[in-house]
Amino acid sequence: MVKAALLPRESARPGPDAKKAALDLAGRMPELILESRRVAATLTHGLHGRRRAGHGESFWQFRPFIAGEAASRIDWRRSARDERLYVREREWEAAHTIWFWIDRSASMRYSSDLALVSKIDRALILGLALADVFVDAGERAGLIGLLPASADRRIVEKFAQALCLNATGLDIGLPPAMPVSAQSEVVLASDFLSPLDDIRQTARTIAAQGARGHMLMFIDPVEETFPFSGQTVLAEPESGFSLRVGDAAAWGELYRNRFLKHCDGLNDIARSLGWTMTIHHTDRPASEPALRLLALIGAERRRSKDEV
């Protein structure tokens, strides 16, 4: 469960395994794009007003007409009810920026017989689907370290191309340090099997810039339940380390307790920063975490609007 030590960003170079993984991903990407569009079609995402007067379509409030304003702004129907003039104000609908980071390290490629897909494929499907939904709602989406945020209607294709062409960082289980705008949303999609101290530092760096974070953790059913017995060889995919266990059933309780402790630590990190934490098991439908994440983001934005 312990991941290999993280390399400094400067020393991360795509080796043969990373390049092979990038080629494999390119071969699967057309199927992943199709599945992401299917998931996106099941999601709905409303407009997001900021409860301020400005350009938009949603009515916000009537207010008294101020001398010097253009007469064309007067709402004559409302004004006819009183002995004063009123202006109809619309709610300002500002585009948000959503930054995604999708963990493509070796541990994410794991898939057991109990899972529907590998963790990396599910993370990619959800990342592409959510980017498609957000951009369709008028927002901007980008990939941390790979692609600037934009509202391009071909955002799914742009994400896919950037992910396939860039093999650097495939051995690193955490996003690179880079500036993100204040009030933006950052979605981190990973199995989060890196050391908790490293995850905490990364999250704090993002939060210090004024961004809101959402941790989306992917778990294969086997990783949580450890349903092994007898002699078992456990292999760590990133370091190449292997461990032979004589009685896996007896060792399993220790493993499960450690796994639960790790998940509790992740929840504590999210809670301390006011972030959201979503755990997704890869034997469940992809739409479940997507709907939950959209609901969490929507609830946070409504709360922020009420405070303005």
Side-chain angles (χ1 to χ4, degrees):
M1 121 122 236
V2 178
K3 229 174 185 184
L6 300 180
L7 295 174
R9 185 65 180 171
E10 295 77 14
S11 64
R13 297 289 184 272
D17 290 343
K19 292 179 179 178
K20 180 179 183 300
L23 291 173
D24 290 343
L25 174 60
R28 302 195 313 276
M29 190 57 76
E31 182 180 349
L32 297 178
I33 290 175
L34 289 175
E35 180 62 14
S36 72
R37 293 201 183 281
R38 186 193 68 79
V39 173
T42 68
L43 306 176
T44 57
H45 187 53
L47 294 175
H48 48 84
R50 293 291 298 277
R51 302 303 293 173
R52 298 180 187 173
H55 298 292
E57 298 179 357
S58 302
F59 168 73
W60 179 23
Q61 66 178 1
F62 288 113
R63 64 165 176 80
F65 175 75
I66 300 174
E69 289 187 276
S72 60
R73 300 196 62 189
I74 297 174
D75 188 287
W76 295 104
R77 178 175 297 181
R78 174 64 182 86
S79 300
R81 302 179 194 170
D82 266 321
E83 295 182 356
R84 63 188 304 178
L85 300 176
Y86 288 93
V87 171
R88 172 188 288 264
E89 284 193 334
R90 292 181 173 85
E91 191 175 347
W92 175 45
E93 291 161 358
H96 287 77
T97 298
I98 316 293
W99 288 102
F100 290 87
W101 178 76
I102 301 173
D103 184 356
R104 294 175 293 153
S105 58
S107 67
M108 287 289 286
R109 301 169 210 158
Y110 179 70
S111 177
S112 71
D113 293 339
L114 301 180
L116 298 174
V117 294
S118 65
K119 293 182 289 184
I120 178 59
D121 281 6
R122 181 53 59 81
L124 289 166
I125 288 168
L126 283 176
L128 295 175
L130 288 168
D132 194 25
V133 170
F134 283 122
V135 168
D136 189 55
E139 311 204 7
R140 301 166 69 245
L143 279 171
I144 290 179
L146 295 180
L147 189 70
S150 74
D152 193 316
R153 293 293 181 178
R154 300 183 66 255
I155 195 67
V156 171
E157 287 77 11
K158 285 197 165 188
F159 269 35
Q161 184 179 40
L163 289 163
C164 289
L165 293 180
N166 194 300
T168 301
L170 291 184
D171 297 327
I172 300 177
L174 290 172
M178 68 163 288
V180 294
S181 56
Q183 303 305 316
S184 62
E185 313 272 359
V186 177
V187 177
L188 304 179
S190 174
D191 54 14
F192 293 108
L193 295 182
S194 296
L196 287 175
D197 287 343
D198 292 340
I199 297 172
R200 183 179 295 106
Q201 182 58 46
T202 297
R204 286 177 176 173
T205 300
I206 294 172
Q209 300 180 67
R212 288 189 293 266
H214 307 276
M215 297 169 64
L216 183 53
M217 182 183 189
F218 295 86
I219 300 176
D220 186 286
V222 164
E223 292 178 319
E224 185 175 52
T225 60
F226 198 79
F228 304 113
S229 61
Q231 291 193 7
T232 304
V233 176
L234 306 176
E236 208 285 329
E238 298 186 10
S239 67
F241 174 78
S242 63
L243 174 67
R244 182 179 297 275
V245 180
D247 185 354
W251 195 79
E253 183 176 358
L254 176 64
Y255 169 89
R256 286 187 290 272
N257 289 337
R258 186 174 180 184
F259 189 87
L260 288 174
K261 184 178 180 180
H262 186 79
C263 290
D264 288 342
L266 293 171
N267 277 306
D268 289 342
I269 292 172
R271 191 180 304 111
S272 68
L273 298 173
W275 287 17
T276 70
M277 174 75 181
T278 298
I279 296 179
H280 172 60
H281 297 84
T282 52
D283 60 339
R284 300 294 302 167
S287 57
E288 291 182 354
L291 288 169
R292 171 178 162 79
L293 187 59
L294 290 176
L296 290 170
I297 292 176
E300 175 61 26
R301 289 179 178 177
R302 287 190 294 274
R303 186 187 66 79
S304 297
K305 286 193 300 182
D306 293 339
E307 293 176 353
V308 174

